[in-house]
Amino acid sequence: MSKAKYPLKLPLSIKKAAQRLAKEDGVSLNQWIAAAVAEKVGVVETAADFFKKRAGKATGAGLMKFLRTAPKLAPEPEDTIRQPQPKAPPKRSLEGAPCRFQIIAMGSATRHEQVCNA
């Protein structure tokens, strides 16, 4: 097996977790990281092969033909896409009004004060 050096920068929290898990497994941090990377590579490559085999010679046209045979039913409530709620209209300015209330923040306390135009 050939080996290559690769300087790896990890966030400290991830490195500490990896060190803890390597110690629990009784292996060095380097061995543990190499095994973790190998496992991830295997999972990704296996998934890619699975989907390639599963797709076979499928085409978009074949998918559309299949979807056209689906019953014309409304989706279940939990499957619907929620539409964004319309934004509230902008608040009108109180300029020119004889009096208005103003909220004044003072540290963690607030007070309301009536302000009147002269």
Side-chain angles (χ1 to χ4, degrees), residues 48-60:
D49 289 343
F50 169 80
F51 287 115
K52 282 179 189 172
K53 288 176 187 172
R54 182 87 171 130
K57 296 179 182 177
T59 63

